[in-house]
Amino acid sequence: MARWRDGRGTLLVHGRGDGDGVKAVPLEIAASYRARTRGLLGRDGLDGAILLSPASGIHTFRMRMAIDVAYLDRRLKVIAVRTMRPGRLGLPRLRSRHVLEAEAGAMAGWGVAAGVSVSVTVEEGRGG
């Protein structure tokens, strides 16, 4: 799988075959050490989601809001989804290669759940 660069793109959430189709979600890509370390720290909200790659675990210390966290394997299949309040340490997931973060409650609305596959499209000239 290609390595991403910091930038913007779209997260495509592929339904479970129940007629939901594909949901498109605005995405920030944090692939550099600096961008992954910063993540959602100091933000009051987020339009869409942020993808931390590579990553196997996260924390919510110094965050201002609760977040949904989805752990993705190397094929971008969701391993687990958790909601974390500020000030928590998430345990690393063994098979996780990427972590997706969004405002608490958002992922359920997008259909992000264990077993669902997602894909990423990168804006032209950015992130890829």
Side-chain angles (χ1 to χ4, degrees), residues 69-92:
V69 179
Y71 298 90
L72 310 175
D73 69 11
R74 62 189 177 97
R75 292 190 172 95
L76 301 182
K77 187 171 183 180
V78 179
I79 298 169
V81 178
R82 299 282 179 262
T83 299
M84 294 178 62
R85 296 192 321 255
R88 305 286 180 200
L89 177 64
L91 295 175

Side-chain angles (χ1 to χ4, degrees), residues 94-127:
L94 190 58
R95 294 181 301 130
S96 179
R97 296 294 178 269
H98 318 280
V99 173
L100 195 60
E101 298 177 347
E103 289 186 20
M107 289 191 189
W110 302 332
V112 175
V116 168
S117 291
V118 300
S119 59
V120 172
T121 59
V122 177
E123 282 185 11
E124 252 337 278
R126 310 254 338 223

Side-chain angles (χ1 to χ4, degrees), residues 8-33:
R8 296 195 171 276
T10 304
L11 176 75
L12 301 172
V13 181
H14 305 277
R16 294 180 184 236
D18 55 3
D20 271 358
V22 177
K23 287 234 194 278
V25 178
L27 182 69
E28 288 181 38
I29 300 167
S32 69
Y33 176 78

